[in-house]
Amino acid sequence: IAQIHLYGQTPRQLFKKPHPKRTTTPQHHGVYTHPEALIVSLLRGPTGHKIGQITFDDHDRPMTRGFRELVLPPNYAKYIQWGNYDNSVRLFTVGEDRLTAIFDSLHNGNVVCLCVANDGRLIATGGIDTVVSLWRIEKRSGRQQYLENVEHFYGHYLPVSCVALSTAYSILVSGSLDRTCIVWDINRLRYVRGLKGHRHAIDGVYINDQSGDIITVSRTTTLIYSINGDVLVAQELCETVGQDESILSVTVSEGPEWLENAVIVTGHRNGIIRIWSKKFVQSRKTSVTEGGREERSVAEIASGLGSEYRLVLRDKIHAHQYGVTALCISSDQKKLFSGDTHGIVLSWALPDDRTAYDQVLPMSNFCATCRRVIDTETRVHCRSCGHAMCSQCSTLRSMKLVDAPVRPLSVCESCFESRTSKRR
């Protein structure tokens, strides 16, 4: 009675109609969610020249450059070239290939590697003289560009093989033939730490601007470090004994930050593209020093001792006949581009001619050919339409899907019949 006196009579029924169904947020679909459903198309035919970079311009259109060439952001109107016979670094215009600037004497010898920051203002170079240099692009009167030296870093005793630059975390990472990998601070211009665990020369370095993880490649071994230098992954990615499966290129998907199944894509010398995901495992105990940090030898780190994650293979694509030297994922995370040593560029995209992924991709529990139930381990997707097949049906039909010197890929029965009838 007191409640009614204070707040009034409570009605019997507040709503005369049932509550509307709660609208679910649209699911995110991309390379990181369904890498096995990627279908192939030819973006560029063979040119005989090695692909060195695949990127996107300001209109989100794919751009390719040759070996030892990089397009300068953010306008993507010029590209930089190094490794010339006179040890110079040259600047050209995109499309016209008109020479606009020549930079001499950057190193005491040839420039081995070069990388550009995302804003296009900072350039890092590594030379045969074991020096890592940081440069800033400036303009003189008359709009002529020149390189202003910011700092020279000394820490390697063999030629520098690779460099990577991240302005988001203000770090520069350099790898060398002496099996050392060093992190430099580009704000304070000083040494930060060395990344241990490499048994061979460093072939490539990649920095994830979203998470700050540092990925290093040494032959067939991949090591992933946190921004603080802790080893997250130390794993051998070679599956076949006796074949050269050295890693030539690597890239990482950049989905939402809360997404746990982001993928790592590696391109190998034998033409295979592998798509991996990080899986958390229980880290093993290691010896701890007085300072509280783990103390591990190079052999322990390289063998994965104490690493927190393992790389799980999500998909294996064997389309290229030659080494995959460039990889790139589109900004919407729905396309993967790959280039090889013979200038062939392939585009891998999720099937977008379906009305919804919610209807097509859950049907991947059934084979599109024999309609049998299949599990995740034996499931293979048609590289022409994206439908799932069992392992038995996937080996029955394979064909070249693009007019280029690439390997035949597994297709379903309907795609095989439709494509063969068109060729007749």
Side-chain angles (χ1 to χ4, degrees):
I1 297 175
Q3 182 179 357
I4 296 175
H5 178 71
L6 293 175
Y7 302 104
Q9 180 66 44
T10 304
R12 297 181 182 178
Q13 187 176 3
L14 294 177
F15 301 98
K16 296 183 179 180
K17 296 181 180 180
H19 292 285
K21 292 184 178 181
R22 184 176 297 176
T23 58
T24 58
T25 57
Q27 298 183 1
H28 295 269
H29 298 288
V31 178
Y32 49 83
T33 57
H34 302 89
E36 68 281 351
L38 295 173
I39 58 178
V40 64
S41 61
L42 181 65
L43 183 65
R44 178 178 174 182
T47 60
H49 301 286
K50 182 188 297 186
I51 300 296
Q53 182 197 28
I54 303 176
T55 186
F56 296 89
D57 58 10
D58 49 356
H59 298 289
D60 208 19
R61 293 174 299 190
M63 302 176 64
T64 60
R65 294 312 314 173
F67 183 57
R68 292 180 176 176
E69 294 178 354
L70 287 179
V71 183
L72 294 180
N75 298 325
Y76 303 96
K78 296 182 181 180
Y79 69 92
I80 195 167
Q81 182 188 78
W82 70 96
N84 298 294
Y85 66 94
D86 56 353
N87 301 334
S88 65
V89 175
R90 304 182 180 185
L91 199 63
F92 295 87
T93 58
V94 175
E96 300 177 356
D97 294 334
R98 179 172 56 87
L99 180 64
T100 59
I102 299 179
F103 311 119
D104 294 320
S105 304
L106 300 185
H107 286 267
N108 187 15
N110 200 1
V111 177
V112 179
C113 51
L114 185 147
C115 69
V116 184
N118 293 333
D119 56 1
R121 298 189 60 185
L122 291 177
I123 292 179
T125 58
I128 200 172
D129 56 356
T130 73
V131 180
V132 180
S133 300
L134 185 64
W135 311 86
R136 182 180 291 109
I137 300 180
E138 299 290 349
K139 289 184 179 180
R140 292 192 181 97
S141 58
R143 302 180 65 181
Q144 185 179 2
Q145 293 178 316
Y146 69 98
L147 293 182
E148 179 185 2
N149 180 250
V150 179
E151 186 62 42
H152 294 295
F153 300 103
Y154 301 91
H156 302 287
Y157 59 88
L158 285 181
V160 182
S161 57
C162 53
V163 288
L165 191 60
S166 174
T167 55
Y169 289 89
S170 301
I171 58 172
L172 166 63
V173 183
S174 60
S176 174
L177 299 180
D178 57 9
R179 299 179 295 177
T180 59
C181 189
I182 302 177
V183 181
W184 313 89
D185 191 334
I186 61 176
N187 286 337
R188 300 179 181 178
L189 303 177
R190 67 181 186 181
Y191 170 90
V192 178
R193 65 177 57 88
L195 304 178
K196 299 181 180 180
H198 302 92
R199 293 178 174 177
H200 307 285
I202 315 298
D203 298 325
V205 178
Y206 182 89
I207 304 175
N208 190 347
D209 286 333
Q210 200 167 40
S211 63
D213 293 345
I214 302 171
I215 304 175
T216 64
V217 173
S218 179
R219 293 189 181 179
T220 59
T221 305
T222 297
L223 288 91
I224 303 179
Y225 302 85
S226 67
I227 189 64
N228 297 322
D230 299 324
V231 180
L232 302 180
V233 175
Q235 188 170 338
E236 180 79 18
L237 303 186
C238 180
E239 296 180 349
T240 307
V241 179
Q243 292 188 5
D244 189 4
E245 296 189 4
S246 301
I247 302 173
L248 301 181
S249 55
V250 62
T251 189
V252 180
S253 64
E254 297 181 357
E257 295 184 1
W258 45 262
L259 191 69
E260 296 182 355
N261 57 345
V263 297
I264 300 172
V265 187
T266 56
H268 299 259
R269 190 179 297 275
N270 56 357
I272 294 179
I273 300 173
R274 289 188 174 92
I275 304 177
W276 310 82
S277 289
K278 282 195 309 181
K279 182 180 180 181
F280 180 78
V281 294
Q282 185 176 2
S283 59
R284 286 170 278 184
K285 294 182 179 180
T286 56
S287 58
V288 181
T289 61
E290 296 180 356
R293 290 186 61 87
E294 297 178 351
E295 185 69 23
R296 283 173 283 172
S297 63
V298 174
E300 289 176 338
I301 296 176
S303 61
L305 181 60
S307 58
E308 299 181 3
Y309 295 87
R310 296 288 294 174
L311 294 181
V312 180
L313 184 63
R314 297 277 302 276
D315 194 23
K316 178 181 177 181
I317 306 173
H318 201 176
H320 290 274
Q321 291 185 351
Y322 312 101
V324 181
T325 56
L327 292 168
C328 183
I329 299 178
S330 60
S331 58
D332 58 0
Q333 306 297 304
K334 292 186 178 181
K335 289 184 179 181
L336 170 67
F337 296 89
S338 59
D340 59 20
T341 57
H342 278 57
I344 299 174
V345 180
L346 298 180
S347 173
W348 306 86
L350 291 174
D352 56 355
D353 54 346
R354 308 296 195 277
T355 56
Y357 290 94
D358 301 333
Q359 299 178 2
V360 177
L361 295 177
M363 293 296 294
S364 57
N365 295 328
F366 299 91
C367 178
T369 303
C370 64
R371 306 304 301 171
R372 289 185 299 181
V373 179
I374 53 178
D375 55 9
T376 306
E377 297 180 356
T378 60
R379 182 173 58 198
V380 179
H381 283 257
C382 173
R383 295 301 179 184
S384 178
C385 66
H387 279 109
M389 300 180 293
C390 62
S391 58
Q392 296 179 356
C393 296
S394 64
T395 59
L396 297 179
R397 295 172 178 82
S398 60
M399 62 187 307
K400 279 191 174 183
L401 299 180
V402 296
D403 189 13
V406 297
R407 297 180 184 274
L409 297 174
S410 298
V411 295
C412 62
E413 183 179 3
S414 60
C415 291
F416 182 81
E417 293 178 354
S418 62
R419 285 179 174 269
T420 51
S421 61
K422 289 180 181 180
R423 293 182 180 181
R424 294 174 185 174

